[in-house]
């Protein structure tokens, strides 16, 4: 039987990390002084960096290994958020 | 202002902030170095949620926060959006300077009023006086004229950038028109 067609689609699963980053922005909107917390700010930037880098790895070269490594770093920030994003510091 | 409006202004504000920090020299002219990053991050969050669920209860709050952090760059972005994307230099320290509108009645260029008409519209005048209840001063010939208080001699529509001469007056051929666009 001849193969008529095949297709492969690679998508990064970033939903949880995106939602988490969105929640961080929600915290900032509710408490703008939080931006003075250098750890909060730099870790939030890192989270965005990891999400976008993972997406770039898939979009530009379908490199799912590198993408997963980036997503894992972002997930680490999310799962250990109590250490990286302490809302009560400002 | 809608969420897409804010997102558009945030995108412009991001590079305006980068340029202002670069030109600001020491300490980036007092602009926080993290501002462009913050605008980028929050803007991406807003875009993400708007695509996913525009009715999210937190979206308006975060959108307003995004517009708030763009600050003066958001205002400059609004100007750029409304005028098709030109002029409006980024001011460092003292704010942006806008060159005056100088016209001669009947000369025929885009900045010149037409002889015999009672009004004059220019896109360069859009938004003028917006921070002062649309109240402005202009110079016609050698006379300062204003659109507020006693003896006002014209009306001004800031939204369309139109001057309407009052008291039955029309633009007289050869008269000069000077409008300070920093008011």
């Amino acid at each position: 039987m001849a193969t008529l067609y095949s297709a492969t689609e690679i998508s990064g699963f970033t939903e949880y990390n995106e939602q988490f980053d969105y929640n961080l922005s929600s915290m900032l909107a509710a408490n703008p002084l939080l931006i003075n917390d250098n750890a909060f700010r730099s870790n939030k930037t890192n989270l965005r960096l990891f999400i976008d880098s993972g997406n770039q790895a898939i979009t530009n070269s379908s490199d799912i290994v590198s993408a997963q490594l980036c997503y894992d770093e972002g997930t680490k920030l999310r799962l250990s958020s109590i250490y990286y994003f302490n809302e009560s510091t400002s | 202002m809608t969420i897409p409006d804010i997102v558009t202004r945030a995108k412009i504000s991001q590079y305006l902030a980068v340029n202002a920090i670069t030109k600001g020299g020491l300490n980036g002219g007092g602009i926080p170095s993290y501002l462009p990053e913050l605008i980028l991050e929050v803007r991406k969050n807003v875009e993400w949620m708007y695509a996913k669920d525009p009715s999210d209860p937190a979206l308006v709050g975060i959108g307003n926060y995004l517009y708030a952090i763009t600050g003066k760059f958001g205002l400059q972005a609004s100007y750029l959006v409304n005028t098709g994307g030109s002029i409006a230099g980024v001011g460092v320290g003292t704010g942006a300077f806008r060159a005056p509108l100088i016209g001669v009645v009947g000369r025929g260029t885009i900045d010149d009023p037409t002889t015999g008409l009672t009004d004059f519209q220019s896109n360069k005048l859009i938004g003028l006086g917006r921070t002062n209840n649309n109240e402005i001063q202009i110079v016609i010939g050698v006379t300062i004229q204003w659109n507020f208080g006693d003896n006002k001699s014209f009306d001004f529509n800031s939204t369309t950038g139109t001057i309407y001469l009052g008291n039955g007056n029309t633009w007289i051929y050869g008269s000069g028109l000077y409008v300070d666009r920093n008011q």
Side-chain angles (χ1 to χ4, degrees):
Chain A
M1 182 179 292
T3 303
L4 294 179
Y5 56 83
S6 64
T8 303
E9 184 175 318
I10 301 172
S11 319
F13 185 75
T14 59
E15 194 76 0
Y16 289 156
N17 287 345
E18 285 280 10
Q19 181 68 55
F20 178 64
D21 195 27
Y22 182 77
N23 292 343
L24 293 177
S25 286
S26 184
M27 286 163 59
L28 266 177
N31 180 15
L33 290 180
L34 204 53
I35 200 61
N36 295 323
D37 180 346
N38 287 330
F40 182 98
R41 191 173 67 234
S42 62
N43 286 326
K44 188 179 186 311
T45 298
N46 286 341
L47 176 61
R48 171 48 54 191
L49 192 67
F50 292 136
I51 294 172
D52 285 357
S53 297
N55 292 343
Q56 294 293 330
I58 289 178
T59 304
N60 292 320
S61 54
S62 299
D63 185 350
I64 56 174
V65 175
S66 297
Q68 192 60 55
L69 287 172
C70 293
Y71 294 150
D72 285 349
E73 287 300 310
T75 301
K76 188 170 72 180
L77 289 175
R78 174 167 58 84
L79 296 180
S80 305
S81 60
I82 189 172
Y83 303 114
Y84 293 112
F85 305 98
N86 186 357
E87 191 182 7
S88 64
T89 53
S90 30
Chain B
M1 187 175 290
T2 64
I3 293 294
D5 287 340
I6 293 173
V7 166
T8 300
R9 283 155 179 75
K11 287 178 179 175
I12 297 171
S13 299
Q14 186 184 324
Y15 69 73
L16 290 177
V18 169
N19 288 345
I21 291 169
T22 305
K23 293 175 183 173
L26 190 63
N27 293 325
I31 301 163
S33 58
Y34 60 77
L35 183 61
E37 277 178 1
L38 184 62
I39 292 173
L40 167 73
E41 292 167 22
V42 179
R43 189 255 296 169
K44 287 203 166 192
N45 293 145
V46 169
E47 280 185 307
W48 176 76
M49 182 53 83
Y50 187 74
K52 182 182 169 192
D53 178 13
S55 61
D56 181 78
L59 190 57
V60 172
I62 300 177
N64 288 337
Y65 174 71
L66 174 59
Y67 190 56
I69 60 176
T70 61
K72 67 175 182 178
F73 303 112
L75 295 177
Q76 289 176 343
S78 290
Y79 178 79
L80 285 169
V81 169
N82 292 332
T83 56
S86 62
I87 317 177
V90 177
V92 177
T94 56
F97 171 78
R98 301 173 69 195
L101 180 144
I102 297 177
V104 177
V105 178
R107 187 170 57 179
T109 74
I110 195 167
D111 289 339
D112 300 327
T114 303
T115 308
L117 295 184
T118 57
D119 60 348
F120 169 60
Q121 190 278 332
S122 171
N123 288 345
K124 289 184 178 178
L125 302 180
I126 291 175
L128 206 61
R130 205 169 269 175
T131 55
N132 286 315
N133 198 29
N134 299 335
E135 294 170 348
I136 61 171
Q137 281 188 332
I138 64 176
V139 179
I140 300 176
V142 294
T143 310
I144 296 178
Q145 313 212 13
W146 51 90
N147 66 336
F148 49 89
D150 294 337
N151 301 316
K152 76 171 194 174
S153 56
F154 67 95
D155 289 315
F156 177 63
N157 185 326
S158 179
T159 305
T160 61
T162 306
I163 296 170
Y164 301 93
L165 297 181
N167 308 321
N169 292 319
T170 59
W171 295 103
I172 298 172
Y173 180 80
S175 298
L177 170 65
Y178 179 94
V179 183
D180 180 353
R181 296 167 65 227
N182 298 291
Q183 58 178 325

